[in-house]
């Protein structure tokens, strides 16, 4: 209690000084106060999660090429992509959808590959799905990545029996028809599965259900999802999208009396001008840049709104908010299959990623999992591939720079900053978050949203002093700079020296449209 009062006093005092300085000089002073000596909640590594759906070339071509491919691979998974993904420390991977999940019958994707069922992918281009990538291949991928599997079950067109058997097949060590089948397919020991979702977007592509109908179904399916053989299953109920608070209210009211799920999902995409014309991923003007940032920042309000409802029913925060789809959604690249959602990725997407990851860090007490949509070749990807070529996107580099926050403790910050103005609209010019890791190193991640202007920021660190400060920056010459197969290194991080550290205060000059991560060592 005393700690909290002291903290708010420090922040209020600095705030008062800042406001009076602004009044006297009528100059905006950008100030980021970091309270370094009172660490808060742990930032779950799982908010740095990813998502891989059977959609376009995310799985086929992007992650999986098969063991007979000329592209170097390990058990059919392409090596270049695998090695790049290891660098960003992927904590969990969601699969097989998305909308695909509620059409997926897992038994189609096990056993000898030549005998697997061939189906139509009804949501994504009507293409043929030969099921050569199934449960065993996905579990091998997570093992090679060193990450936790996050499997999304089928409520929309599946049955409780099918879902329950999948969990048993995956995680049980008992004697049963499902464990016998798994062993016949070459996997003697059960796997560990951390996260399991009970349907996806069941208000839409997952069955067009009402909240009440879904809540009833979720309970029915969840009843048969066991935590087998020491595997502690974290069941994720399908939550709302965007600002649909009524759905959250229904699910949380239900959760107050029955413990049928541990996490509630939420989806939010930034779609600048609506579903009709979503704008180009690479050819855009400053208005579209600004609108993208404005929409990205809405994530904070959305989390606050849903958290407030969750807090009423679950004040102890035993249930996590699982933001298992987020990112920018633009028009597909010209000439590509509209059902494949293939888009390029620019400096704008890098700032988007920084804004979101800073917001998730700030909500560490409630947000326990988040998954960028999607991992390779779909929407705001970290990696793009073309045949045997691979490109790391600006978004990839933000995940690499921000990985230092995984499992670190959130630090309290107070940010007062100038606006970034576009026409009659304005948004804060700076996004930030800070954490302290197990070795006592502090990391501060910041983004300058303004593409026209460098910003200077004064950053006092309260309570600790540091011997060494280093930083990395990601920026670019143009708002739409991107990495192509011809020029793969157009946007990449570099050492940053636009700062000084004296008397416990960092003085920073951030370039326009940039992302910077500081490391302070005692
Ligand atoms: O990520 C693409 C699609 O967006 C997913 O399949 C679905 O869940 C969402 O609507």
């Amino acid at each position: 209690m005393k700690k909290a009062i002291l903290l708010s006093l420090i922040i209020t005092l600095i705030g008062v000084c800042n406001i009076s300085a602004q009044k006297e000089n009528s100059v905006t002073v950008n100030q980021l106060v970091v309270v370094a000596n009172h660490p808060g909640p742990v930032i779950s590594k799982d908010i740095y999660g990813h998502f891989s759906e059977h959609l376009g070339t995310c799985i086929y071509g992007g992650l999986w090429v098969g063991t007979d491919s000329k592209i170097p691979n390990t058990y059919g998974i392409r090596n270049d992509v695998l090695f790049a993904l290891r660098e960003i420390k992927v904590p969990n991977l969601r699969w097989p959808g998305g909308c695909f999940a509620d059409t997926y019958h897992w038994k189609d994707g096990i056993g000898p590959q030549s005998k697997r069922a061939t189906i139509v992918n009804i949501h994504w281009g009507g293409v043929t799905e030969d099921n050569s990538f199934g449960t065993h291949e996905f579990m091998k991928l997570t093992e090679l990545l060193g990450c936790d599997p996050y499997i999304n079950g089928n409520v929309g067109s599946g049955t409780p029996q099918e879902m329950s058997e999948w969990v048993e097949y995956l995680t049980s060590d008992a004697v049963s028809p499902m464990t016998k089948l798994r062993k016949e397919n070459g996997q003697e020991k059960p796997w560990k599965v951390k996260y399991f979702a009970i349907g996806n977007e069941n208000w839409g592509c997952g069955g067009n259900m009402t909240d009440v109908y879904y809540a009833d179904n979720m309970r029915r399916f969840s009843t048969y999802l066991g935590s087998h053989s020491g595997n502690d299953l974290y069941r994720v109920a399908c939550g709302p999208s965007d600002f649909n608070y009524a759905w959250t209210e229904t699910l949380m009211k239900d959760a107050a009396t029955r413990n049928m799920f541990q996490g509630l999902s939420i989806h939010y995409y930034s779609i600048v001008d609506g579903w009709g014309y979503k704008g180009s991923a690479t050819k855009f003007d400053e208005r579209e840049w600004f609108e993208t940032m404005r929409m990205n920042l809405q994530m904070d309000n959305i989390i606050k709104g849903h958290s407030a409802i969750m807090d009423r029913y679950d004040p102890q925060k035993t249930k996590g908010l699982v933001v298992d789809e987020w990112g920018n959604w633009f028009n597909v690249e010209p000439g590509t299959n509209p059902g494949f959602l293939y888009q390029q990725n620019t400096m704008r997407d890098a700032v988007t990623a920084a804004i979101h990851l800073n917001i998730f860090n700030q909500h560490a007490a409630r947000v326990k999992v988040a998954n960028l949509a999607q991992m390779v070749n779909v929407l705001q990807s970290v990696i793009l591939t073309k045949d045997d070529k691979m490109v790391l996107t600006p978004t990839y580099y933000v995940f690499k720079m921000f990985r230092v926050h995984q499992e670190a403790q959130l630090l309290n910050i107070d940010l007062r900053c100038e606006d970034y103005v576009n026409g009659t609209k304005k948004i804060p010019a700076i996004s930030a978050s800070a954490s302290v890791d197990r070795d006592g190193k502090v990391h501060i991640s910041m983004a300058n949203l303004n593409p026209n202007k460098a910003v200077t920021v004064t950053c006092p660190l309260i309570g600790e002093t540091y011997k060494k400060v280093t930083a990395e920056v990601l920026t670019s010459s143009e708002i739409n700079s991107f990495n192509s197969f011809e020029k793969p290194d157009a946007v990449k991080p570099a050492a940053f020296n636009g700062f000084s550290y004296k008397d416990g205060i960092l003085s920073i000059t951030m370039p326009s449209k940039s992302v910077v991560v500081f490391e302070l060592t005692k």
Side-chain angles (χ1 to χ4, degrees):
M1 189 61 186
K2 270 186 193 157
K3 234 190 206 178
I5 294 171
L6 182 71
L7 277 182
S8 67
L9 255 176
I10 294 170
I11 289 176
T12 313
L13 275 173
I14 293 166
V16 167
C17 297
N18 186 27
I19 288 162
S20 51
Q22 284 182 31
K23 266 190 196 158
E24 274 170 25
N25 308 327
S26 45
V27 172
T28 305
V29 179
N30 296 312
Q31 192 169 52
L32 173 68
V33 180
V34 178
V35 183
N37 56 351
H38 292 291
V42 170
I43 297 170
S44 162
K45 66 179 184 336
D46 288 318
I47 67 168
Y48 289 84
H50 292 265
F51 170 34
S52 56
E53 180 166 10
H54 287 239
L55 196 179
T57 54
C58 180
I59 300 286
Y60 298 109
L63 288 160
W64 170 258
V65 285
T67 45
D68 296 337
S69 173
K70 286 201 184 100
I71 298 175
N73 65 83
T74 307
Y75 299 111
I77 294 148
R78 52 189 295 167
N79 288 343
D80 51 356
V81 171
L82 187 62
F83 297 155
L85 289 172
R86 282 184 184 154
E87 291 291 307
I88 58 172
K89 280 177 60 181
V90 174
N92 73 78
L93 181 57
R94 178 170 177 247
W95 172 83
C99 293
F100 183 77
D102 284 276
T103 65
Y104 186 62
H105 300 287
W106 67 273
K107 284 183 187 161
D108 289 348
I110 56 170
Q113 294 201 336
S114 56
K115 295 204 175 126
R116 293 188 191 176
T118 293
I119 60 159
V120 178
N121 189 333
I122 57 162
H123 288 295
W124 305 117
V127 295
T128 298
E129 163 66 58
D130 70 1
N131 279 301
S132 52
F133 189 91
T135 299
H136 290 249
E137 291 74 22
F138 174 69
M139 295 307 288
K140 180 55 85 180
L141 171 61
T142 59
E143 182 193 317
L144 293 171
L145 286 173
C147 76
D148 277 310
Y150 174 4
I151 293 184
N152 207 119
N154 177 350
V155 169
S157 69
T159 63
Q161 179 182 359
E162 181 185 33
M163 192 183 283
S164 141
E165 286 184 345
W166 200 6
V167 172
E168 191 179 306
Y169 183 92
L170 285 157
T171 61
S172 174
D173 207 9
V175 178
S176 80
M178 286 306 111
T179 58
K180 184 167 170 279
L181 186 58
R182 185 191 68 228
K183 289 175 190 176
E184 282 165 11
N185 287 330
Q187 180 69 25
E188 185 64 28
K189 289 270 159 227
W191 293 284
K192 290 281 181 218
V193 174
K194 191 166 178 184
Y195 299 108
F196 196 94
I198 308 166
N200 167 75
E201 296 194 354
N202 301 97
W203 36 263
C205 64
N208 284 300
M209 303 174 189
T210 66
D211 48 359
V212 174
Y213 183 77
Y214 171 74
D216 283 343
N217 268 283
M218 182 274 297
R219 266 187 269 111
R220 181 165 168 243
F221 278 70
S222 182
T223 303
Y224 306 102
L225 300 184
S227 277
H228 301 285
S229 311
N231 182 71
D232 192 11
L233 201 66
Y234 186 102
R235 293 165 297 175
V236 180
C238 166
S241 83
D242 309 0
F243 297 92
N244 183 356
Y245 297 128
W247 187 282
T248 300
E249 184 80 36
T250 301
L251 269 288
M252 287 308 297
K253 197 187 286 175
D254 209 89
T257 50
R258 306 167 174 98
N259 190 28
M260 303 307 281
F261 63 90
Q262 286 69 47
L264 183 69
S265 76
I266 177 164
H267 292 177
Y268 174 64
Y269 288 98
S270 298
I271 303 165
V272 174
D273 288 325
W275 285 102
Y277 181 81
K278 299 183 277 303
S280 161
T282 53
K283 295 186 179 75
F284 54 87
D285 58 18
E286 193 185 335
R287 183 197 68 83
E288 289 167 278
W289 165 285
F290 178 90
E291 278 303 310
T292 304
M293 309 283 133
R294 203 178 61 75
M295 292 203 72
N296 297 162
L297 289 164
Q298 288 296 328
M299 179 59 96
D300 189 47
N301 294 327
I302 289 170
I303 292 175
K304 280 182 184 142
H306 293 285
S307 296
I309 298 169
M310 294 178 85
D311 285 350
R312 265 195 284 119
Y313 294 103
D314 174 34
Q316 303 302 321
K317 297 191 181 357
T318 60
K319 305 218 180 293
L321 195 54
V322 176
V323 191
D324 56 15
E325 288 186 31
W326 66 269
N328 289 336
W329 192 322
F330 301 120
N331 292 340
V332 298
E333 289 303 310
T336 64
N337 187 328
F340 281 14
L341 311 186
Y342 176 81
Q343 64 189 44
Q344 247 296 356
N345 194 292
T346 67
M347 188 64 215
R348 171 172 63 167
D349 296 281
V351 177
T352 289
I355 290 171
H356 281 82
L357 295 174
N358 280 333
I359 291 172
F360 299 151
N361 285 349
Q362 297 289 6
H363 289 284
R366 180 63 85 179
V367 177
K368 296 300 174 192
V369 184
N371 302 77
L372 172 71
Q374 298 192 3
M375 190 176 236
V376 188
N377 293 335
V378 171
L379 301 176
Q380 194 184 335
S381 310
V382 289
I383 291 178
L384 300 174
T385 64
K386 188 162 86 181
D387 306 323
D388 61 345
K389 294 199 192 73
M390 174 187 79
V391 151
L392 306 177
T393 67
T395 299
Y396 172 92
Y397 289 116
V398 173
F399 271 81
K400 192 169 179 193
M401 290 163 76
F402 275 59
R403 70 193 161 159
V404 289
H405 288 304
Q406 294 189 21
E407 297 296 305
Q409 279 180 277
L410 183 69
L411 292 177
N412 222 322
I413 61 168
D414 184 53
L415 173 65
R416 312 279 162 117
C417 70
E418 65 192 65
D419 289 325
Y420 162 34
V421 181
N422 184 263
T424 55
K425 296 181 184 169
K426 58 184 184 181
I427 54 176
I430 300 168
S431 147
S433 69
S435 70
V436 58
D437 70 12
R438 288 196 189 111
D439 301 327
K441 284 184 181 162
V442 163
H443 295 102
I444 305 171
S445 46
M446 300 169 71
N448 176 5
L449 281 51
N450 194 327
N452 306 314
K453 187 172 171 269
V455 288
T456 57
V457 187
T458 303
C459 177
L461 286 117
I462 310 292
E464 301 282 356
T465 50
Y466 300 91
K467 288 205 180 96
K468 192 175 159 206
V469 186
T470 55
E472 248 191 331
V473 63
L474 186 72
T475 187
S476 61
S477 53
E478 310 299 327
I479 54 173
N480 60 347
S481 299
F482 62 90
N483 295 332
S484 64
F485 294 100
E486 294 72 37
K487 285 193 186 156
D489 292 328
V491 187
K492 62 186 231 187
F496 179 63
N497 53 20
F499 67 93
S500 65
Y501 177 63
K502 206 169 157 232
D503 301 331
I505 298 178
L506 263 177
S507 304
I508 309 160
T509 302
M510 290 188 72
S512 64
K513 51 176 163 17
S514 66
V515 178
V516 176
V517 177
F518 290 93
E519 179 169 280
L520 295 95
T521 312
K522 278 192 215 166

